Amino acid sequence: MLKLLIDEIEVEFFAGETIIQAALRAGNDIPHFCYHPSLSVSGNCRTCLVELENIPKLVIACSTPATEGMKVHTKSEKVVHAQNAVMEFLLINHPLDCPICDEAGECKLQDYAYQYGVGISRFDESKNHKDKRVKLGPEVMFDQERCISCSRCIRFCEEIAKDPELTFVDRGDHVTIETFPGEELDNPYSMNVIEICPVGALTSEEFRFKSRVWEMSFTDTICPGCARGCNTIMGVRNNEILRIEPRENLSVNDYWLCDWGRLNTIKQVNDEELRFKSPAIKLNEGTTENIGLLDVNWDEAISKSVSHLKNYSGSDIMFIASAHSTLEDNYALKKFAKEIFNSDNVFYIPHTDENFGDEILRKSDMTPNSSGLKMLGIDQYSDSVVDQLSSGKIKMLFILNEDVKGIRGADVFMNNIETTVQLISFKNSSSASANVILPVSTYSEINGTFVNFQNRIQRLRPAVTTLEQERLIGEFSLSRLDKFGAHNDRWTRGTKFNARPGWKIIKLIAKAMGHEFDFDNSEEVFTELAGTIPDMNGYDYDTLGKIGITIGEKPMVEA
């Protein structure tokens, strides 16, 4: 590799890299606003000015190619003076909105003002006022006064979303950003401009004024919206999910996340009307009518499930797996069917929408784990399965996290089904007729894994607690309110649902039927299932790391 000196430290770089790319990879955080590793270089913020030996003028690190033997200074007197001047210039017309700005606490302008500013301004004139609440599109609000004209949002729409919608208008201190005439910022990836905006100029209509970032906990997780499995960061306050942001993974989603994934995958999690608050059983077992469910405790619901299961043989029961559930839950379901009923009658319901997929991130497969089910040897339902259900041979359905109405001909064959035990999170079109409801924790409440369309195994981590969990150090990310809130504070009283992971419920049912499964936590389930798949031998949660691992890939050993 080629080498250059940055502040007298030797740094290796690849041919074609710029100074800022080499510096950032080496851990030298040269300040920058307009530079983004996935966007073209604009070079208009001038914050990344550096000094090169034997060159009289400062150069911008974002566009200057690194060369062999180059000597770069990022902290010289000339550079520090230039950084002070640039920060003073950027703050001339910037409003003092920090106390009310959603970006406060994670704002580059705040950080750089402390690090590289002098703390005073020589500007005595009145600030230039602009429009404060400009609706650029259905999800993005624009504050013209806060904008520093870095052009990141403009370049994102052109280069990543492939839909040019934004442009600069006017000049000088009147310059601002607008949508083209007749256009609005409504592409499927529009909300990514909020994250890449280095200041608080672009804010989310959904999250606006809901919380300070230091009052939230942030958990690395995976988006369950489609088979891509975008890496995300889940922001939680008072046990309620407030926002989802993309997390960098160059092998999966780069730096981006679609608007559908960030808005629609969290709405149901804290919906008290849609979620089951406790286990429930049918009031009158002698009828197939939807006459209501009675809330009961876990022991009674497990006992009732066992009572129903013992009434049927393996050939009478169909087990419905779910591509919305984790590897661990589906493995436990398959193990339960095979070891207790000697049944391979396990299938899943596909969910595809050809209009949803695109060439950027979104996949037509609207489930996060269909590849995982195929890896476990669980197939999607076929015509023969429908025929089997319609023939009347199947008397009972054991359902994991699915709506059976998704199977073709369900309106007809459900008349032949005598009993359903449903391990589900949300009410659906067939849940009212269930004999037993066993509430399953959502993806935001559990440890687990999904396998995306690339056969990449990725890790889920719990961000929201259920009744049987406590938000403890080491097990959950903690916010300031979590750490210092007292029992009588209102922010410690967020809703907790009486739900459990699917594998744990299945283990309890198996135990009540006289079978002991040898796992006590999700990682033990994963380790056991990994041992049944040759390409996954030796995998555990540490193997997956933060960005996952492709099945068959040799685990990286960390020193």
Side-chain angles (χ1 to χ4, degrees), residues 369-385:
N369 202 28
S370 57
S371 295
L373 268 69
K374 293 170 186 174
M375 184 187 69
L376 291 173
I378 301 173
D379 298 322
Q380 68 183 54
Y381 82 89
S382 60
D383 290 341
S384 62
V385 172

Side-chain angles (χ1 to χ4, degrees), residues 196-227:
I196 62 175
C197 178
V199 295
L202 296 168
T203 54
S204 165
E205 282 271 25
E206 176 73 16
F207 179 71
R208 192 171 167 87
F209 303 133
K210 280 190 175 179
S211 178
R212 289 307 208 173
V213 294
W214 54 82
E215 295 175 347
M216 299 165 65
S217 61
F218 295 96
T219 305
D220 291 350
T221 187
I222 304 298
C223 174
C226 77

Side-chain angles (χ1 to χ4, degrees), residues 209-272:
F209 303 133
K210 280 190 175 179
S211 178
R212 289 307 208 173
V213 294
W214 54 82
E215 295 175 347
M216 299 165 65
S217 61
F218 295 96
T219 305
D220 291 350
T221 187
I222 304 298
C223 174
C226 77
R228 170 72 61 175
C230 292
N231 288 219
T232 60
I233 301 170
M234 183 175 287
V236 172
R237 181 180 186 269
N238 197 22
N239 213 45
E240 179 184 2
I241 305 170
L242 296 184
R243 75 179 187 189
I244 299 287
E245 297 175 292
R247 175 166 55 92
E248 178 186 340
N249 188 336
L250 300 182
S251 299
V252 179
N253 57 299
D254 289 341
Y255 306 88
W256 320 119
L257 180 66
C258 77
D259 294 356
W260 193 94
R262 84 170 71 212
L263 293 175
N264 292 284
T265 59
I266 63 174
K267 287 181 178 178
Q268 298 177 328
V269 175
N270 287 101
D271 189 336
E272 295 188 39

Side-chain angles (χ1 to χ4, degrees), residues 321-387:
S322 174
H324 293 292
S325 289
T326 61
L327 268 182
E328 291 79 358
D329 288 357
N330 284 289
Y331 171 79
L333 177 68
K334 185 180 180 184
K335 181 183 175 79
F336 180 78
K338 187 66 177 177
E339 293 192 5
I340 298 176
F341 292 95
N342 193 29
S343 173
D344 294 316
N345 221 7
V346 185
F347 304 95
Y348 77 94
I349 304 170
H351 298 270
T352 58
D353 182 354
E354 296 300 331
N355 295 321
F356 181 79
D358 61 27
E359 296 180 356
I360 303 174
L361 291 180
R362 307 203 311 184
K363 308 302 292 184
S364 297
D365 180 356
M366 302 285 288
T367 62
N369 202 28
S370 57
S371 295
L373 268 69
K374 293 170 186 174
M375 184 187 69
L376 291 173
I378 301 173
D379 298 322
Q380 68 183 54
Y381 82 89
S382 60
D383 290 341
S384 62
V385 172
V386 176
D387 293 341

Side-chain angles (χ1 to χ4, degrees), residues 238-240 272 486-496:
N238 197 22
N239 213 45
E240 179 184 2
E272 295 188 39
H487 68 278
N488 57 341
D489 290 326
R490 67 179 182 274
W491 59 76
T492 61
R493 299 180 184 177
T495 301
K496 291 185 178 183

